[in-house]
């Protein structure tokens, strides 16, 4: 019988077999359960029924424009990090009908279709993505208007977070203050101690589940063990900046050494005065240099968990009497994004890349009181030409105040 | 399992409201003013807007367009929109006749600082269709004429036949509104100014410390208006510009209308120049 709900902040332990019971309990409460699974060589969110369906013993190698999964001898359940998908599509669907119009006897009738908001439980959410969710909450719920679809789906979401034990080379959550440990915004949070997991309660409904599963309270030693896992990763991420500056000051490698692959850049981002830096360099030559590589393909905006731009268009049947107004993900890398009948505002790839980066890292602060970047690294990995926003910031910072001869 | 959360449709900000056209005035070639009345009498009675705000007009099957409200804000019988035919939506509206339907959501956006300008002189500087969003502000001033000092309208169009609301100018002048009109290209009957709107500033001696400038028109024109105003020592805080950007929602969701940190739909379309200045002159912003 379920006892008293565990209180928020309480730590318990949960074994792998009990994780299965957790999944079952969520399903019996009506939640659709999704978790990281391997599809087409990448980790994506997908329906999960059995805990063994998790990618056990798999890690991801991510770098600018590359993503590769590897089998490793350790049997961690969550030692890969984020794949191309985030939670974004579950709350803000890639396509959604906002309004239906029906013409009867020449008169139009307008109805807002009922919002589809099936209760959804997600297992394996990382801290960066919890922060991304909090940012999208500000966009869709925090302003003068509330998006009804987003709101309904958000209310029906149950989140089981996972504290990362390892980071990819593309991760820079630590620079953005968004990880690696999940601090808030979850119902339950797991830390893998091998073989068992530490489980932290983050909400009343999380506490109820812990009580229902009669999980044993964690010992202080286990709690400490969990803390150390996060601390070690923080230290590693913190060390990246120092390591990079040593590399820069080290003598250049002997030229012509064929076959040597350059060391993978382990990302971090110096956010010091980043707002002033980027907005003070709107005419920096770097925008044009990057535009020469950028394909304006929009991948970065599609994979970004905080990007929220959308196009709204009408779709009608053959009679023209039934019209749906649909919203679909859009990107500031397209010409249409800024096109008016008087012309396109951002005519060049340089101006679009500038819009994206300055919005993400600078103007987002005025709009929503936070950076628009959580340091998940997706835009770096999934950019076909490996453009890396952390490098872009370095390039601008290194030549602060430089001006292009021709305007962007 | 799918729970369907019942949202009262009236609560959704995406819902458009049916309205019908009660009058159409062809203003100039390609531009007409439509007087609209909501089908729902309750909505008609409770709808209020401030000068400078806009509605999202909806033609099912074609889409939405942001259109400023151009009527007197105290008018309770109808709402006017002065619309230039540009593309799909505006063409579909132009095919409508009196009795036809247009749906709308609104009002959205910031407004002209008419109330804040009581006791001051006002220069309304506009080009082409840019007079439409200023018309409610001009009405607001005329409704409380004694509260304002000098009020000057500087207005220009490409040709004399492109000037809006000329049949109202006598009424405006009777309310002590000074109107100065210019065209880029005159015709044989034209005896007025020829040249761009910013040049009209030379016609007037303005008292910088007590003058507010409100400008609406092509961005390039507004840049020159701002330049002329600043040259006359009018403070950036006393200059207001109206910006136009692609808009797909008017609620700050779609992301299309951003200029730097500003969303034109909710922080604008009317901006104080001090606010707009850092991004106003940056190419392709
Ligand atoms: C705040 C604001 C107030 C406006 N007030 C008026 C007004 O009072 N009278 C008037 O005639 N016009 C006004 N416009 C311009 C008007 O919105 C466009 O002319 C109209 O959207 C063109 O739509 P369309 O479908 O006919 O053209 P298309 O070229 O087919 O446009 C397709 C879509 O692109 C977008 N778009 C195209 N041009 C513009 C544009 N100039 N501004 C914003 N979005 C655009 C719209 O989403 C539009 O539905 C205003 C624009 C803004 C932003
Ligand atoms: S900008 Fe890139 S690193 Fe930052 S949140 Fe978006 S996808 Fe992640
Ligand atoms: S930065 Fe990369 S992912 Fe983004 S639009 Fe350019 S090429 Fe595509």
């Amino acid at each position: 019988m379920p006892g008293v709900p565990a209180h928020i902040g309480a730590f318990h332990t949960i074994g792998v077999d009990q994780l299965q019971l957790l999944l079952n309990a969520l399903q019996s409460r009506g939640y659709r359960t999704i978790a990281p699974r391997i599809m087409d060589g990448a980790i994506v969110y997908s329906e999960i029924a059995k805990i063994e369906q998790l990618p056990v013993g798999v890690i991801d190698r991510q770098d600018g424009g590359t993503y590769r999964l590897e089998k490793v001898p350790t049997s961690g359940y969550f030692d890969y990090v984020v794949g191309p998908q985030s939670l974004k599509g579950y709350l803000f669907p890639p396509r959604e009908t906002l309004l239906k119009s029906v013409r009867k006897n020449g008169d139009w009738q307008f109805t807002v279709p009922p919002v589809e908001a099936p209760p959804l439980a997600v297992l394996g959410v990382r801290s960066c993505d919890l922060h991304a969710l909090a940012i999208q909450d500000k966009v869709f719920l925090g302003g003068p208007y509330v998006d009804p679809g987003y709101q309904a789906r958000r209310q029906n979401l149950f989140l089981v977070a996972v504290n990362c034990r390892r980071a990819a080379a593309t991760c820079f959550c630590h620079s953005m203050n968004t990880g690696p440990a999940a601090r808030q915004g979850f119902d339950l949070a797991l830390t893998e101690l091998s073989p068992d997991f530490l489980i932290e309660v983050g909400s009343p409904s999380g506490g109820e589940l812990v009580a229902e599963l009669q999980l044993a309270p964690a010992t202080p030693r286990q709690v400490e063990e969990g803390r150390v896992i996060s601390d070690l990763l923080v230290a590693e991420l913190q060390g990246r900046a120092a390591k990079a500056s040593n590399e820069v000051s080290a003598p250049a490698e002997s030229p012509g050494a064929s076959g040597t692959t350059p060391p993978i850049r382990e990302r971090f981002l110096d956010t010091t005065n980043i707002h002033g830096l980027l907005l003070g360099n709107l005419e920096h030559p770097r925008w044009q240099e990057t535009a020469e590589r950028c394909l304006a393909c929009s991948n970065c905006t599609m994979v970004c968990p905080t990007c929220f731009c959308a196009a709204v268009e009408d779709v009608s049947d053959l009679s023209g009497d039934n019209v749906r107004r649909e919203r679909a993900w859009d990107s500031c890398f397209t010409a249409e994004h800024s096109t008016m009948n008087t012309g396109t505002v951002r005519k060049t790839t340089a101006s679009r890349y500038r819009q994206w980066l300055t919005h993400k890292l600078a103007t987002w602060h005025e709009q929503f009181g936070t950076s628009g970047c959580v340091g998940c690294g997706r835009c770096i990995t999934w950019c076909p030409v490996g453009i890396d926003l952390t490098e872009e910031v370095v390039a601008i910072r290194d030549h602060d105040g430089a001006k292009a001869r021709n305007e962007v | 399992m799918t729970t369907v959360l019942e949202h009262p449709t009236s609560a959704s900000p995406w819902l458009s409201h049916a309205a019908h056209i009660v009058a159409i005035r062809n203003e100039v070639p390609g531009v007409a003013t439509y007087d609209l009345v909501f089908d729902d009498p309750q909505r008609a009675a409770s709808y209020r807007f401030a000068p400078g705000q806009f509605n999202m007009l909806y033609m099912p099957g074609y889409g939405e367009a942001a259109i400023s409200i151009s009527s007197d804000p105290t008018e309770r019988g109808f709402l006017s929109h002065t619309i230039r035919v540009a593309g799909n939506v505006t063409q579909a509206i132009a095919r409508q006749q009196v009795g036809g339907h247009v749906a709308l959501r609104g009002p959205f956006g910031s407004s002209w600082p008419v109330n804040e300008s009581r006791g001051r002189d006002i220069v309304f500087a506009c080009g082409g269709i840019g007079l439409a969003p200023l018309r409610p502000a001009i009405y607001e001033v005329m409704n409380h004429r004694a509260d304002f000092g000098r009020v000057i309208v500087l207005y220009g169009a490409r040709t004399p036949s492109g000037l809006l609301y000329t049949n109202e100018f006598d009424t405006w002048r009777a309310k002590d509104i000074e109107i100065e009109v210019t065209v880029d290209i005159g015709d044989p009957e034209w005896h007025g100014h020829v040249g761009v709107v910013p040049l009209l500033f030379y016609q007037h001696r303005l008292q910088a410390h007590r003058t507010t400038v409100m400008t609406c028109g092509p961005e390039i024109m507004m840049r020159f208006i701002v330049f002329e105003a600043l040259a006359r020592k009018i403070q950036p805080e006393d200059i207001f510009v109206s910006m136009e950007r692609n808009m797909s929602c008017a609620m700050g969701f779609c992301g299309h209308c951003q200029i730097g940190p500003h969303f034109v739909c909710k922080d604008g379309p009317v901006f104080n120049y001090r606010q707009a200045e850092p991004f106003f002159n940056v190419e392709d912003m």
Side-chain angles (χ1 to χ4, degrees):
Chain A
M1 270 290 98
V4 186
H7 66 267
I8 292 174
F11 286 94
H12 291 70
T13 54
I14 184 167
V16 171
D17 46 341
Q18 287 168 311
L19 270 183
Q20 181 63 50
L21 298 180
L22 174 65
L23 268 191
N24 300 350
L26 285 165
Q27 285 171 353
S28 68
R29 288 177 180 218
Y31 285 101
R32 195 182 137 209
T33 48
I34 61 165
R37 306 272 310 271
I38 298 174
M39 303 260 163
D40 297 329
I43 304 273
V44 297
Y45 281 122
S46 183
E47 217 83 35
I48 185 165
K50 295 265 163 276
I51 281 297
E52 300 81 69
Q53 290 170 316
L54 286 168
V56 185
V58 171
I59 63 164
D60 46 1
R61 297 282 179 204
Q62 301 198 37
D63 195 11
T66 60
Y67 180 95
R68 195 158 37 81
L69 293 180
E70 257 173 38
K71 265 277 185 205
V72 285
T74 53
S75 57
Y77 278 73
F78 295 101
D79 285 339
Y80 41 86
V81 294
V82 294
Q85 288 176 335
S86 63
L87 296 176
K88 177 165 86 170
Y90 291 99
L91 295 146
F92 166 38
R95 188 165 270 279
E96 181 180 18
T97 301
L98 303 168
L99 185 75
K100 282 187 176 165
S101 312
V102 178
R103 182 161 51 193
K104 280 201 188 102
N105 310 322
D107 280 350
W108 285 102
Q109 261 154 18
F110 304 106
T111 48
V112 175
V115 169
E116 298 252 327
L120 181 72
V122 192
L123 176 65
V125 183
R126 308 308 166 114
S127 182
C128 56
D129 279 356
L130 291 176
H131 280 84
L133 193 60
I135 290 173
Q136 288 228 320
D137 286 352
K138 292 187 183 213
V139 175
F140 291 111
L141 307 176
Y145 298 94
V146 166
D147 189 77
Y150 184 95
Q151 184 182 41
R153 289 182 286 267
R154 184 70 174 92
Q155 283 163 355
N156 281 351
L157 193 62
F158 189 96
L159 297 169
V160 184
V162 164
N163 289 317
C164 296
R165 298 202 293 194
R166 122 174 214 284
T170 45
C171 294
F172 58 103
C173 57
H174 182 259
S175 303
M176 306 315 289
N177 257 324
T178 57
R183 300 264 177 245
Q184 58 193 18
F186 53 81
D187 294 290
L188 293 168
L190 299 171
T191 309
E192 195 164 358
L193 303 179
S194 298
D196 286 348
F197 291 79
L198 195 63
I199 187 164
E200 182 184 355
V201 177
S203 76
S205 39
E208 281 169 30
L209 274 171
V210 163
E212 182 179 320
L213 298 178
Q214 300 182 327
L215 300 179
T219 63
R221 214 193 128 91
Q222 286 169 316
V223 175
E224 177 60 14
E225 219 182 309
R227 204 178 52 75
V228 167
I229 285 175
S230 292
D231 286 354
L232 284 175
L233 188 53
V234 168
E236 184 198 318
L237 289 165
Q238 269 172 342
R240 286 181 174 187
K243 214 160 101 188
S245 62
N246 289 340
E247 272 162 22
V248 170
S249 51
E253 274 175 45
S254 57
S258 61
T260 53
T261 45
I264 286 181
R265 183 180 143 83
E266 293 189 313
R267 273 73 176 183
F268 63 92
L269 180 64
D270 177 4
T271 59
T272 315
N273 183 33
I274 195 148
H275 183 273
L277 176 76
L278 294 180
L279 295 188
N281 281 291
L282 294 174
E283 261 126 8
H284 199 283
R286 181 70 181 192
W287 304 117
Q288 184 50 44
E289 288 158 27
T290 305
E292 277 154 26
R293 296 166 60 207
C294 175
L295 313 172
C297 67
S298 302
N299 271 14
C300 48
T301 54
M302 297 295 121
V303 295
C304 178
T306 69
C307 274
F308 58 84
C309 282
V312 187
E313 58 176 27
D314 276 21
V315 180
S316 68
D317 69 359
L318 282 178
S319 72
D321 291 337
N322 294 285
V323 178
R324 291 192 317 275
R325 200 147 170 71
E326 293 194 342
R327 167 169 73 183
W329 287 2
D330 195 10
S331 169
C332 57
F333 281 91
T334 69
E336 295 75 23
H337 189 274
S338 69
T339 297
M340 301 187 282
N341 62 287
T342 45
T344 300
V345 176
R346 288 185 279 276
K347 295 178 274 296
T348 60
T349 301
S351 65
R352 295 179 204 157
Y353 190 81
R354 178 180 70 187
Q355 168 62 23
W356 184 68
L357 197 72
T358 54
H359 185 215
K360 240 356 55 161
L361 297 175
T363 55
W364 211 292
H365 283 278
E366 279 114 313
Q367 296 175 346
F368 304 106
T370 164
S371 174
C373 175
V374 297
C376 71
R378 287 183 176 94
C379 57
I380 305 171
T381 300
W382 299 98
C383 173
V385 295
I387 293 172
D388 173 347
L389 78 171
T390 66
E391 271 176 43
E392 295 310 303
V393 173
V394 171
I396 290 173
R397 202 182 283 285
D398 283 353
H399 300 278
D400 188 2
K403 277 216 192 304
R405 256 177 301 131
N406 300 314
E407 282 174 324
V408 167
Chain B
M1 180 180 123
T2 300
T3 32
V4 171
L5 290 198
E6 281 309 334
H7 267 269
T9 49
S10 61
S12 173
W14 292 104
L15 185 68
S16 231
H17 304 278
H20 50 277
I21 302 171
V22 295
I24 300 175
R25 283 182 298 287
N26 291 315
E27 302 284 358
V28 304
V31 180
T33 299
Y34 302 80
D35 294 345
L36 305 178
V37 175
F38 284 108
D39 289 6
D40 171 9
Q42 243 179 328
R43 183 162 293 272
S46 63
Y47 186 97
R48 297 284 182 278
F49 74 95
Q53 288 195 294
F54 65 95
N55 284 317
M56 292 299 278
L57 298 199
Y58 181 42
M59 294 301 286
Y62 300 94
E64 286 185 325
I67 306 287
S68 306
I69 307 165
S70 64
S71 42
D72 180 345
T74 59
E75 170 63 57
R76 292 286 170 261
F78 57 86
L79 274 178
S80 305
H81 289 93
T82 301
I83 305 173
R84 190 173 63 85
V85 172
N88 289 333
V89 178
T90 48
Q91 263 162 23
I93 296 172
R95 284 194 293 270
Q96 297 291 304
Q97 288 168 5
V98 172
H101 276 85
V102 175
L104 63 96
R105 306 185 280 131
F108 295 108
S110 62
S111 53
W112 299 111
V114 180
N115 276 329
E116 295 81 346
S117 307
R118 283 174 201 254
R120 298 173 59 83
D121 298 342
I122 302 179
V123 176
F124 294 109
C126 47
I129 191 125
L131 181 54
L134 282 169
R135 188 167 171 249
I138 295 170
Y139 272 102
E140 191 90 327
V141 166
M142 292 196 293
N143 293 339
H144 308 273
R145 185 64 189 90
D147 294 355
F148 299 88
R150 276 184 79 187
V151 178
I152 305 168
V153 175
L154 306 179
Y155 180 41
R158 265 169 45 76
T159 61
S161 62
L163 292 163
L164 290 179
Y165 313 134
T166 45
N167 57 346
E168 296 178 26
F169 287 1
D170 285 344
T171 331
W172 299 6
R173 287 196 174 100
K175 284 272 193 179
D176 197 21
I177 309 276
E178 299 168 54
I179 308 177
E180 207 79 63
V181 178
T182 185
V183 296
D184 294 346
I185 310 156
D187 63 21
E189 277 115 84
W190 182 253
H191 303 295
H193 299 289
V194 175
V196 295
V197 182
L199 292 176
L200 294 176
F201 266 90
Y202 292 94
Q203 305 291 322
H204 298 274
R205 284 183 60 93
L206 302 171
Q207 289 183 276
H209 68 281
R210 51 168 295 154
T211 302
T212 298
V213 175
M214 307 185 200
T215 179
C216 185
E219 254 169 72
I220 180 80
M221 182 212 82
M222 292 196 290
R223 278 182 204 172
F224 282 106
I225 297 286
V226 168
F227 180 84
E228 294 294 338
L230 293 173
R232 281 163 182 72
K233 301 274 184 295
I234 295 172
Q235 294 304 303
E237 290 78 10
D238 296 329
I239 302 172
F240 294 83
V241 298
S242 179
M243 301 302 291
E244 191 173 314
R245 282 295 181 273
N246 183 303
M247 256 176 218
S248 297
C249 76
M251 302 184 284
F253 296 147
C254 82
H256 286 196
C257 71
Q258 295 174 77
I259 308 179
H262 310 298
F263 287 94
V264 172
C265 70
K266 56 176 192 181
D267 306 323
V270 177
F271 289 97
N272 184 269
Y273 184 65
R274 180 69 85 192
Q275 216 187 343
E277 196 271 330
F279 311 99
F280 197 61
N281 296 311
V282 180
E283 207 56 42
D284 294 349
M285 204 53 201

